[in-house]
Every structure is written in C-alpha cells, then in structure tokens.
Amino acid sequence: MGRSALRGRRSALCTAHWAAANPPPDLLAWSTIEDAGDRVTVALAELYAYFGRTEQMLENLFRDEDLPLVRARFGALREYFVAAQDTLMSGRGLRGAARRRTRGAIGHAIAFSTWKSLVREQGLGDADATKLMGALIAGAR
C-alpha cells in the first residue's frame, strides 16, 4: 500500500470516529427559530463555537479531502453545510438577485474558511465575527 493510500485510510478511520464524537450543531433546532435574523445569530454562534472546538480536525479534513476515502466520509459534512444554508434561507421570501446574494452571503458566513479568516487571521472573537456576518447577510437583500 502506498504512502498516500495509507494516509487516506488512516484519515478515513479517524474521520468516522471523530464525526461520531463531534456532531455539528442541530439544524432542526435552528429551523424552529421564526425570525431569520435571530436564526442566523444563533446558527453562527453555535457553528463558530463548533469550529473552535474542532479546528484541528477540520483543517486535516479539508487538507485531505482530495483522497478518495476521506472524500467519501467528508461528503456528509459537505451535505450538512448545504442543509444549513437551506435552513438559514428558509422563510425569507426572496427572489432573483436578492435571493442569490443572500444565499451567497449565508454560504460565505457558514464556511470554515470564513471563520478561520475572521477569528484566527483577523483576530475577531466569535461574537464579533457572528455580528459581522449577520450584517453581511442582512445587507445582501
């Protein structure tokens, strides 16, 4: 077995164990929040706390995502982000360009890379990053 394949197999096994022990925030709980702005605030606060707790593993997953075994396991997390975006778009009643901009702003706000940039590189705390991304999403309408 080659070095890359071995790394991929180890990463996949580690990913499965890690995912079971570290579930992402509950999308169903978010969907019960009627006000879209409040929903975004709660969602980002929970998601950014999750990123902070799981940062090293997420870094490794994104690094190794191109390995087939990791890609197969990582697909569930990618699907989670699409579902999170759908949950945060729900009830907004937007169409056309306003819908595309808002969906794009939400996608940007929930990305691990956005959290990493704002918190680790720009030095914002999770609360300030949440407020900033909430304002971006609100302004996208």
Side-chain angles (χ1 to χ4, degrees):
M1 180 177 291
R3 190 179 230 163
S4 178
L6 183 59
R7 186 179 88 191
R9 183 178 303 272
R10 246 183 301 180
S11 290
L13 290 172
C14 186
T15 300
H17 174 74
W18 174 84
N22 296 284
D26 183 5
L27 299 178
L28 186 57
W30 296 352
S31 69
T32 64
I33 302 170
E34 275 191 52
D35 182 78
D38 291 344
R39 188 178 331 124
V40 163
T41 299
V42 169
L44 291 179
E46 291 180 3
L47 196 56
Y48 289 176
Y50 171 76
F51 289 160
R53 286 190 313 274
T54 61
E55 179 178 8
Q56 188 58 58
M57 185 61 170
L58 289 173
E59 283 284 340
N60 294 340
L61 286 170
F62 282 108
R63 179 198 68 210
D64 294 343
E65 186 178 10
D66 62 327
L67 300 172
L69 289 172
V70 175
R71 187 178 314 121
R73 297 277 185 195
F74 199 53
L77 188 59
R78 289 283 185 193
E79 290 172 9
Y80 171 86
F81 286 117
V82 171
Q85 202 174 17
D86 292 342
T87 299
L88 297 176
M89 278 297 295
S90 178
R92 290 180 181 271
L94 300 174
R95 297 181 184 276
R99 181 173 178 76
R100 284 190 304 278
R101 283 192 308 270
T102 301
R103 188 167 182 87
I106 289 170
H108 180 67
I110 65 173
F112 175 70
S113 57
T114 298
W115 172 83
K116 186 176 174 190
S117 173
L118 292 173
V119 174
R120 297 295 183 231
E121 296 169 15
Q122 304 306 317
L124 295 180
D126 284 349
D128 284 338
T130 295
K131 286 179 188 173
L132 180 61
M133 289 298 96
L136 175 75
I137 293 166
R141 286 181 264 147

